[in-house]
């Protein structure tokens, strides 16, 4: 029996709106049962499949899978196809409702609203497609590391894990317990040649729990040791030491290693741009770890990222003065800082020192980690993507993102602790390398043993962490200058509990 067709303006619009939510409703109402049932069945099948994937697959793994270049291309193509299909569905549903039987005023009204609805149903698909396209473009621009630079193939091999271990879908980390990523802050300037890494933090992440230890190394660490057998170790067998600059400053501190390696390709047989690899290996050797990858952040690009998420809320303990002539001021108190103020808060050394600045940088990182929630990222995605393109230089391969993104989501809900190698814990002028490695080893063991909610702390023990340690990196005594008595006492009086929460001591930074 032929179904009764709607003949009022309200009925036509009502069934048309229902068809936008339940494809096939208008067709069923007008007696086109076969078409209506096919449309509803396909729609229900898609919804059930999506629900099944959502329930069966871990959210982090799902997001990681969507980071794959092929998956992103499929999402873009799928959103275009679905948008066109939904547009055609609204148009066809309007036609089968036979609005021509309505009075002229009703035809004009339903035709106008039907056209508006047809456009509106395309908007979500267009927005999703644009999101996927922007993400794909940003990711492909940033992550250009070699595709075969996965963990377990050389750099980044844990002690006890064969160097020949290969990643697999079941174990993308090739038996690794931890992943170590060097986070660098570079102070780029048009008038400055080379790269100076004034902020150096190594994030060591437990791949199972997401528990992370952030090791902060001071820019002014002296007499840096290089891994034996490397070209830099052959050039500087007793530590990184150069004549003083004409003005009395030094260009042989830890923050100058990248710049020096880039400026002297002859040390590496003429190979150019060895700075990143040398600095990764040097910091890894210093901590008794192997570094998997690095990410160099332009500090002022970082300010644009903070602006893109709408600023960060930080408790500024005391007024922070900045500027060449001390003309700037970040006032004390709990306040929302825009990008430029957040960067000056993190970077200023006026009336302060490197170590206070390192603590403030840690506070800014903690605030960003806490406040960059998924809702904020999604609503401001295009601005964040644009800022990120100008922000990061990294050797992380594109192929590893599908594994690193789920790991990053674990970190957000895990325990993030921090160790800052600053006085009185260590003397930057006369570093105790064994002590540094021992503290790092202890912090990593505690992080690996703890639940995501708690990380134990305690006195440092001898080096050689059981996860993340570098093969052959057990500290051996190398000739060092004898520290003055005062320096030795300062180092000996270091805090026996150096592992802190990421925002501990941040004056209540959120």
């Amino acid at each position: 029996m032929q179904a009764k067709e709607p003949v009022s303006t309200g009925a036509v619009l009502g069934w048309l709106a229902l068809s936008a939510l339940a494809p096939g409703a208008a067709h069923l109402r007008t007696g086109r049962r076969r078409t209506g049932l096919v449309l509803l069945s396909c729609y229900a099948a898609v919804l059930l499949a999506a629900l099944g994937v959502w329930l069966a697959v871990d959210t982090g793994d799902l997001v990681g899978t969507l980071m794959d270049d092929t998956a992103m291309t499929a999402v873009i193509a799928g959103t275009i196809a679905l948008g066109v299909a939904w547009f055609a569905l609204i148009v066809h549903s309007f036609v089968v409702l036979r609005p021509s039987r309505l009075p002229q005023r009703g035809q004009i009204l339903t035709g106008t609203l039907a056209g508006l609805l047809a456009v509106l149903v395309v908007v979500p698909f267009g927005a999703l497609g644009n999101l996927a396209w922007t993400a794909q473009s940003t990711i492909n621009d940033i992550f250009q590391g070699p595709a075969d630079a996965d963990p377990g193939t050389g750099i980044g091999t844990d002690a006890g894990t064969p160097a020949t271990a290969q990643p697999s879908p079941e174990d993308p980390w090739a038996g690794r317990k931890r992943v170590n990523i060097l986070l660098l802050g570079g102070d780029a300037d048009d008038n400055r040649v080379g790269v100076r890494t004034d902020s150096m933090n190594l994030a060591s992440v437990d791949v199972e729990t997401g528990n992370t230890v952030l090791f902060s190394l001071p820019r002014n660490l002296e007499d840096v040791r290089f891994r034996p057998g490397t070209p830099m170790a052959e050039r500087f067998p007793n530590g990184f030491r150069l004549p003083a600059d004409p003005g009395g400053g030094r260009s042989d501190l830890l923050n100058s290693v990248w710049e020096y390696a880039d400026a002297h390709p002859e040390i590496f047989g003429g190979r150019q741009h060895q700075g990143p690899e040398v600095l990764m290996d040097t910091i890894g050797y210093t901590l008794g770890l192997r570094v998997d990858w690095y990410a160099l952040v332009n500090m002022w690009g970082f300010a644009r990222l903070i602006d893109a998420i709408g600023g960060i809320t930080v408790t500024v303990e005391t007024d922070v003065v900045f500027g060449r002539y001390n003309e700037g001021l970040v006032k004390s108190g709990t306040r929302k800082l825009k990008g430029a103020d957040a960067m000056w808060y993190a970077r200023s050394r006026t009336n302060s020192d490197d170590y206070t600045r390192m603590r403030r940088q840690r506070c800014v990182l903690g605030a960003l980690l806490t406040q960059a929630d998924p809702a904020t990222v999604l609503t401001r995605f295009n601005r964040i993507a644009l800022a990120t393109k100008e922000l990061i230089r990294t050797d992380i391969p594109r192929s590893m993102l599908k594994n690193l993104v789920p790991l990053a989501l674990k970190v957000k809900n895990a325990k993030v602790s921090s160790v800052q190698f600053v006085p009185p814990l260590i003397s930057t002028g006369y570093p105790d390398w064994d002590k540094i490695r021992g503290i790092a080893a202890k912090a990593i063991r505690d992080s690996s043993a703890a639940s995501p909610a708690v990380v134990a702390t305690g006195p440092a023990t001898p080096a050689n962490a059981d996860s993340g340690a570098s093969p052959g990196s057990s500290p051996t005594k190398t000739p060092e200058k004898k520290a003055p008595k005062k320096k030795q006492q300062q180092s000996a009086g270091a805090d026996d509990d150096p592992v802190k929460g990421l925002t501990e001591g941040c004056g209540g930074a959120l």
Side-chain angles (χ1 to χ4, degrees):
M1 182 177 67
Q2 182 74 21
K4 184 178 179 181
E5 298 178 359
V7 293
S8 69
T9 299
V12 170
L13 292 176
W15 282 102
L16 191 62
L18 182 60
S19 294
L21 300 174
H27 295 77
L28 288 174
R29 181 65 181 84
T30 57
R32 292 168 172 80
R33 295 177 58 83
R34 179 177 296 177
T35 304
L37 288 173
V38 168
L39 289 172
L40 275 175
S41 298
C42 291
Y43 182 58
V46 170
L47 288 181
L48 288 174
L51 180 61
V53 170
W54 180 265
L55 294 176
V57 180
D58 179 83
T59 302
D61 291 338
L62 179 60
V63 175
T65 300
L66 292 175
M67 289 297 103
D68 183 75
D69 194 46
T70 302
M72 283 190 169
T73 301
V75 169
I76 295 170
T79 55
I80 293 173
L82 286 173
V84 171
W86 235 263
F87 182 89
L89 170 70
I90 296 301
V91 172
H92 195 259
S93 296
F94 180 66
V95 170
V96 301
L97 288 169
R98 298 178 61 192
S100 59
R101 295 174 302 125
L102 298 173
Q104 185 176 16
R105 181 177 295 179
Q107 292 181 37
I108 294 173
L109 178 61
T110 56
T112 301
L113 292 178
L116 180 60
L117 181 61
V119 172
L120 286 177
V121 296
V122 174
V123 170
F125 298 105
L128 181 59
N130 179 67
L131 188 72
W133 181 86
T134 302
Q136 185 181 48
S137 174
T138 301
I139 289 170
N140 289 341
D141 283 347
I142 294 173
F143 297 93
Q144 299 179 0
D148 60 350
D150 293 337
T153 59
I155 288 181
T157 303
D158 281 338
T161 301
T164 56
Q166 295 294 324
S168 66
E170 297 77 19
D171 182 12
W173 305 111
R176 303 275 330 268
K177 295 180 180 179
R178 306 191 72 87
V179 171
N180 303 314
I181 301 177
L182 183 60
L183 307 175
L184 304 168
D187 191 6
D189 193 299
D190 292 338
N191 300 319
R192 179 176 296 146
V193 178
V195 175
R196 290 197 312 183
T197 53
D198 284 344
S199 174
M200 290 165 282
N201 297 276
L202 182 79
S204 181
V205 187
D206 187 298
V207 299
E208 290 296 327
T209 65
N211 285 346
T212 300
V213 184
L214 191 69
F215 297 106
S216 299
L217 291 136
R219 60 182 287 279
N220 60 336
L221 197 64
E222 296 185 36
D223 289 335
V224 175
R225 298 301 198 260
F226 301 102
R227 192 182 301 277
T230 62
M232 288 290 280
E234 293 175 4
R235 171 67 65 95
F236 301 102
N238 296 318
F240 190 34
R241 201 71 179 173
L242 297 170
D245 298 334
R250 303 217 61 90
S251 297
D252 54 9
L253 307 177
L254 180 60
N255 73 325
S256 302
V257 169
W258 179 319
E259 183 179 19
Y260 184 88
D262 273 355
H264 294 83
E266 71 279 2
I267 299 176
F268 311 97
R271 297 194 304 276
Q272 301 281 339
H273 310 301
Q274 295 299 296
E277 183 178 342
V278 169
L279 184 59
M280 284 196 298
D281 190 60
T282 301
I283 289 180
Y285 182 62
T286 299
L287 295 173
L289 304 170
R290 278 291 187 91
V291 182
D292 295 293
W293 304 291
Y294 79 92
L296 174 66
V297 176
N298 178 295
M299 299 300 282
W300 292 109
F302 199 61
R304 288 191 287 274
L305 176 62
I306 290 174
D307 280 333
I309 69 168
I312 56 173
T313 301
V314 176
T315 295
V316 181
E317 301 88 339
T318 59
D319 290 353
V320 176
V321 178
F322 63 86
R324 177 170 295 184
Y325 304 106
N326 298 340
E327 68 274 18
L329 177 67
V330 180
K331 292 185 178 180
S332 62
T334 300
R335 61 186 69 257
K336 188 163 224 177
L337 300 181
K338 293 183 178 180
D341 282 343
M343 278 297 88
W344 280 121
Y345 168 71
R347 299 195 66 252
S348 177
R349 282 185 290 167
T350 304
N351 303 327
S352 183
D353 55 32
D354 277 323
Y355 316 119
T356 301
R357 182 172 76 161
M358 286 173 64
R359 178 184 56 77
R360 293 200 303 262
Q361 289 172 354
R362 174 171 55 85
C363 294
V364 169
L365 285 173
L368 187 63
L369 179 65
T370 303
Q371 296 167 41
D373 57 272
T376 300
V377 172
L378 284 175
T379 55
R380 298 171 176 265
F381 186 80
N382 283 344
R383 280 175 285 181
I384 292 172
L386 180 61
T388 304
K389 277 187 178 183
E390 304 170 358
L391 172 70
I392 296 176
R393 171 180 171 184
T394 183
D395 65 342
I396 296 175
R398 176 72 172 79
S399 60
M400 285 306 298
L401 281 189
K402 63 181 180 292
N403 304 314
L404 286 171
V405 169
L407 187 59
L409 293 176
K410 284 184 181 180
V411 171
K412 189 161 182 67
N413 297 314
K415 176 66 178 181
V416 181
S417 52
S418 173
V419 178
Q420 296 194 86
F421 292 103
V422 299
L425 182 62
I426 65 159
S427 166
T428 56
Y430 303 90
D432 184 335
W433 306 109
D434 288 346
K435 182 176 182 180
I436 290 174
R437 291 187 180 104
I439 290 171
K442 178 65 166 61
I444 286 178
R445 279 199 298 271
D446 289 345
S447 176
S448 297
S451 69
V454 179
V455 172
T457 60
T461 57
N464 277 345
D466 53 0
S467 60
S470 166
S473 66
S474 57
T476 56
K477 290 289 184 181
T478 52
E480 297 187 18
K481 297 179 298 182
K482 185 176 180 181
K485 189 173 183 180
K486 183 177 179 181
K487 293 283 186 179
Q488 289 177 330
Q489 289 172 346
Q490 182 188 50
S491 180
D495 188 356
D496 283 338
D497 190 14
V499 182
K500 310 294 183 185
L502 185 60
T503 55
E504 187 174 340
C506 292
L510 297 177

